[in-house]
């Protein structure tokens, strides 16, 4: 049972464009939604996170949009740069979720390539 | 990597052998997690710990056991490794449960032949 569905699997964007990655969740017990960035050979690193009491959060070129009623959230990368090329994971957590262990439930990831 | 080390970083072993992976943190964080990462699956939680000697199962715990005898160390053991356990294993730490940031280690690439 996949509780967090992420799309697309891969994405190619031109330098300077907007990259958009979408996630949908099923479990209404989720109350924390982080995005992680992972470079080859490295561990995931937190990029930005949101809680359901706000509909949008912006940090620099990265924005999370959150739609509680639709149970969807998305990552927007403005002015995408070649250095943004990485794999991005959405995730969710909440009390009693994550297999009952409060760990993060991850989407399957999006491989983003920014073409110069 | 937020004061997290994992050892070994790479390991090749044979089916049926026991394997122990170590996660060591210098942040004094209470919560520690083990995830596995496989192509097409993202990261999946194996086990986690909420304190010394306090552990619980995650989504994919079958075939794995864990131990935490000190705050800084969290061990993951494959009692009898199988080829399906070939994966990249990540340790993560957090100061709180649920909505607190989880910081990930550099990972251990395990190959079971």
């Amino acid at each position: 049972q996949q509780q967090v569905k992420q799309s697309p699997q891969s994405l190619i964007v031109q330098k300077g464009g907007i990259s958009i990655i979408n996630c949908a969740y099923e479990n209404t017990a989720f109350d924390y939604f982080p995005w992680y960035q992972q470079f080859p050979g490295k561990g995931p690193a937190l990029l930005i996170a949101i809680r359901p009491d706000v509909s949008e959060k912006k940090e620099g070129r990265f924005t999370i949009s959150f739609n509680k009623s639709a149970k969807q959230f998305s990552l927007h990368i403005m002015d995408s740069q070649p250095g943004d090329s990485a794999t991005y994971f959405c995730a969710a957590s909440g009390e009693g979720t994550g297999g009952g262990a409060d760990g993060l439930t991850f989407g399957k990831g999006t491989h983003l390539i920014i073409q110069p | 990597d937020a004061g997290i080390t994992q050892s070994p970083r790479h390991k090749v072993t044979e089916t049926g052998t026991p394997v122990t992976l170590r996660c060591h943190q210098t942040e004094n964080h209470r919560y520690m997690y083990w995830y596995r990462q496989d192509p097409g699956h993202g990261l999946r939680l194996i086990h986690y710990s909420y304190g010394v000697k306090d552990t619980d199962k995650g989504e994919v715990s079958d075939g794995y056991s864990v131990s935490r005898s000190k705050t800084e160390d969290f061990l993951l053991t494959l009692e009898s490794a199988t080829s399906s356990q070939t994966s990249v294993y990540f340790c993560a730490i957090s100061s709180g449960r649920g909505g607190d940031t989880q910081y990930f280690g550099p990972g251990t690439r395990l190959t079971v032949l």
Side-chain angles (χ1 to χ4, degrees), chain B residues 11-27:
Chain B
K11 186 171 182 66
V12 180
T13 191
E14 295 189 349
T15 298
T17 59
V19 176
T20 296
L21 308 182
R22 180 184 183 230
C23 176
H24 179 79
Q25 60 145 330
T26 58
E27 305 297 323

Side-chain angles (χ1 to χ4, degrees), chain B residues 7-61:
Chain B
S7 59
R9 293 294 313 279
H10 301 272
K11 186 171 182 66
V12 180
T13 191
E14 295 189 349
T15 298
T17 59
V19 176
T20 296
L21 308 182
R22 180 184 183 230
C23 176
H24 179 79
Q25 60 145 330
T26 58
E27 305 297 323
N28 200 35
H29 281 355
R30 178 181 177 187
Y31 292 82
M32 299 185 75
Y33 306 81
W34 277 108
Y35 292 87
R36 60 177 289 175
Q37 183 174 30
D38 304 289
H41 287 276
L43 290 94
R44 293 177 291 174
L45 181 67
I46 304 171
H47 281 280
Y48 89 121
S49 170
Y50 48 97
V52 174
K53 296 186 180 180
D54 292 323
T55 65
D56 205 349
K57 296 180 179 180
E59 178 187 357
V60 291
S61 59

Side-chain angles (χ1 to χ4, degrees), chain B residues 13 19 47 52-53 59-60 75 77 80 87-88 92-93 100 104 106 108:
Chain B
T13 191
V19 176
H47 281 280
V52 174
K53 296 186 180 180
E59 178 187 357
V60 291
L75 304 181
T77 298
S80 177
S87 186
V88 180
I93 65 173
D100 282 1
F104 284 78
T108 294

